[in-house]
Amino acid sequence: MGILTNLILDYWLYGVTIAFGYILAILLYDTKNDKNRAGVAKNDETDERYAFPDSTSDAKDKEEADGGLNLENADTRVDHEAGKEHIPFTIERLSKAEMTRRSQEFYQEMNKRRSVRFFSDEPFPQEVMDNIIRTGGTSPSGAHTQPWTYVVVKSPEIKKEIREIIEEEEEVNYRRRMGDKWVQDLACIGTDWNKPYLEIAPYLVIVLKQSYGIAPDGSRLVHYYNEISTSISVGLVLAAIQEAGLVTLTSTPLNAGPRLRKLLNRPINEKVMLLLPVGYPAPDATVPALKRKPLEEFMTAI
Amino acid sequence: MGILTNLILDYWLYGVTIAFGYILAILLYDTKNDKNRAGVAKNDETDERYAFPDSTSDAKDKEEADGGLNLENADTRVDHEAGKEHIPFTIERLSKAEMTRRSQEFYQEMNKRRSVRFFSDEPFPQEVMDNIIRTGGTSPSGAHTQPWTYVVVKSPEIKKEIREIIEEEEEVNYRRRMGDKWVQDLACIGTDWNKPYLEIAPYLVIVLKQSYGIAPDGSRLVHYYNEISTSISVGLVLAAIQEAGLVTLTSTPLNAGPRLRKLLNRPINEKVMLLLPVGYPAPDATVPALKRKPLEEFMTAI
């Protein structure tokens, strides 16, 4: 018999025990991981089930329990008592002709809106800015949690710091993460990491979502659908900017969020979602010749 | 020496080998799992890094590469050629007094909006509904992908089916997922699984986000920030409903999305986000006595 056979005969039992330990470990480990993985899959929205990207798993359980939640009106720990009392609701009644005219006019006004990246440095009244943000505060929100924070920056020093942070991150994005071809393409439409408008526009509005709230006793409060609610609020802000005869650029300061949050001294439960410079357009402002889809391409009536 | 000591002396080597196999297994397994977990953590936004809840991991890579993406204007495969040409942009210039007045009026109008669950069955012109949805179509969107679909349901049969689907899911939500106490609380504010307004309101608007697009060659197109974009579009729709003197209830048809999508014959890349019944309020409509945060609680000026 060869040496190998001898070795096997002498030590096979050790091999078996190692294998036994190995299998035991995997079994124990798998059980533990399955539980973790189940949690992840639940949040994952493979393709059909509605996902709750906004919520921690705690929040998710609460949301599931509150099935068919309405983005307002619903019962909540935040404003529980107030929600119980109902009051009469009336709205000014418009004639059919009047509502047709108004809906047409409002559409035409909103349809003039374009995202603009060329700003004038001409200031406008703080009161206008306040009214614009107030309008955002009329948005519905999951369980009336109003999970948005608007930071309005007028200070030239802070605007300069914001520009530095965003351009630094942008340059990394452009140089390291994008192909040369793409960078060239973007150059054609005037998009690169230089964002002088961040210092030129009289106001920068940084929109943060409150991922969760903090109760007086320090415990976390669930903020249902905080990202959807904050985005709807931004829709109202965009309408208000347009109504005021001003322009903005709806932008997502990618990868700069954490640094911006710290610069603006916002708490850890808030996350930067969007940045909106607001002002008059520059006299020589241009926009890309983009078209919008006609109604029949995004609406179906049945 | 006792039996135990004898056993240990005779078999300690087996114990050591079992332990060895166990540790080996854990080490190998951990390495594998760390890789998986790293992927999850990236999408998870533990606390600081911006997450892209809308996108598949493919989409995510693309989005990271397109750092600081603007929700319009940006280069995209969808509308690449159109984006290159720039055209002059002008906007009607308002005096400071005029912009202050208009921003004030618009805020006051939007502040009258409430989520209403008591509708009149009185119809209103389809043209008004069209203008409202058209207004939603003026929203900015990630790389101008316009990733929203609005299904406007007027058919009484389809409304009935929608009501059945939602009430069925709601009843399960209420009976199985909520505690008795909570159900009682919700009953006080008139929230339960019965939703007669789904048949009473003259129109139901179902809002779907297009998680991705489909190119003519069948390949997937990235839809940047599709959930944020669709929600901003809904903000404009809510403003348009209010301007037209109508009311809605911004609601999330939890767990009913997949069945609604099939009922409405929408493709797999679309996901139901919101349901908006639209109409006149019932003459005896009531709303919960909720208050909105004053400006200083959600805006900081620096």
mmCIF file of all heavy atoms in Angstrom, chain B residues 43 58 85 157 183 219 249:
data_model
loop_
_atom_site.group_PDB
_atom_site.id
_atom_site.type_symbol
_atom_site.label_atom_id
_atom_site.label_comp_id
_atom_site.label_asym_id
_atom_site.label_seq_id
_atom_site.Cartn_x
_atom_site.Cartn_y
_atom_site.Cartn_z
ATOM 1 N N ASN B 43 -26.651 49.891 -1.493
ATOM 2 C CA ASN B 43 -27.999 50.336 -1.842
ATOM 3 C C ASN B 43 -28.780 50.778 -0.622
ATOM 4 O O ASN B 43 -29.876 51.286 -0.742
ATOM 5 C CB ASN B 43 -28.775 49.200 -2.513
ATOM 6 C CG ASN B 43 -28.270 48.953 -3.918
ATOM 7 O OD1 ASN B 43 -27.987 49.888 -4.633
ATOM 8 N ND2 ASN B 43 -28.151 47.702 -4.296
ATOM 9 N N ASP B 58 -27.882 48.161 -12.350
ATOM 10 C CA ASP B 58 -27.379 48.688 -13.618
ATOM 11 C C ASP B 58 -27.593 50.199 -13.680
ATOM 12 O O ASP B 58 -26.703 50.962 -13.983
ATOM 13 C CB ASP B 58 -28.127 48.076 -14.807
ATOM 14 C CG ASP B 58 -27.516 46.759 -15.207
ATOM 15 O OD1 ASP B 58 -26.589 46.319 -14.504
ATOM 16 O OD2 ASP B 58 -27.972 46.179 -16.195
ATOM 17 N N GLU B 85 -28.762 70.924 -29.120
ATOM 18 C CA GLU B 85 -29.029 72.264 -29.603
ATOM 19 C C GLU B 85 -29.578 73.131 -28.480
ATOM 20 O O GLU B 85 -30.457 72.711 -27.729
ATOM 21 C CB GLU B 85 -30.061 72.183 -30.743
ATOM 22 C CG GLU B 85 -30.237 73.482 -31.489
ATOM 23 C CD GLU B 85 -31.555 73.485 -32.262
ATOM 24 O OE1 GLU B 85 -32.074 72.391 -32.566
ATOM 25 O OE2 GLU B 85 -32.053 74.576 -32.534
ATOM 26 N N GLU B 157 -67.578 50.626 -14.560
ATOM 27 C CA GLU B 157 -67.234 49.215 -14.330
ATOM 28 C C GLU B 157 -65.804 49.097 -13.803
ATOM 29 O O GLU B 157 -65.538 48.353 -12.866
ATOM 30 C CB GLU B 157 -67.366 48.401 -15.630
ATOM 31 C CG GLU B 157 -68.800 48.274 -16.156
ATOM 32 C CD GLU B 157 -69.321 49.548 -16.792
ATOM 33 O OE1 GLU B 157 -68.498 50.275 -17.406
ATOM 34 O OE2 GLU B 157 -70.538 49.846 -16.664
ATOM 35 N N VAL B 183 -57.349 50.083 14.841
ATOM 36 C CA VAL B 183 -58.537 50.069 13.993
ATOM 37 C C VAL B 183 -59.607 50.970 14.599
ATOM 38 O O VAL B 183 -60.264 51.738 13.905
ATOM 39 C CB VAL B 183 -59.053 48.628 13.815
ATOM 40 C CG1 VAL B 183 -60.410 48.626 13.111
ATOM 41 C CG2 VAL B 183 -58.044 47.808 13.032
ATOM 42 N N SER B 219 -33.990 46.656 -25.605
ATOM 43 C CA SER B 219 -33.112 46.788 -24.439
ATOM 44 C C SER B 219 -33.689 47.799 -23.447
ATOM 45 O O SER B 219 -34.526 48.620 -23.800
ATOM 46 C CB SER B 219 -31.708 47.222 -24.882
ATOM 47 O OG SER B 219 -31.752 48.539 -25.379
ATOM 48 N N LEU B 249 -57.751 63.105 -3.170
ATOM 49 C CA LEU B 249 -57.191 62.458 -1.981
ATOM 50 C C LEU B 249 -55.917 61.777 -2.446
ATOM 51 O O LEU B 249 -55.970 60.838 -3.241
ATOM 52 C CB LEU B 249 -58.181 61.424 -1.421
ATOM 53 C CG LEU B 249 -57.671 60.546 -0.276
ATOM 54 C CD1 LEU B 249 -57.510 61.372 0.998
ATOM 55 C CD2 LEU B 249 -58.632 59.390 -0.023
#
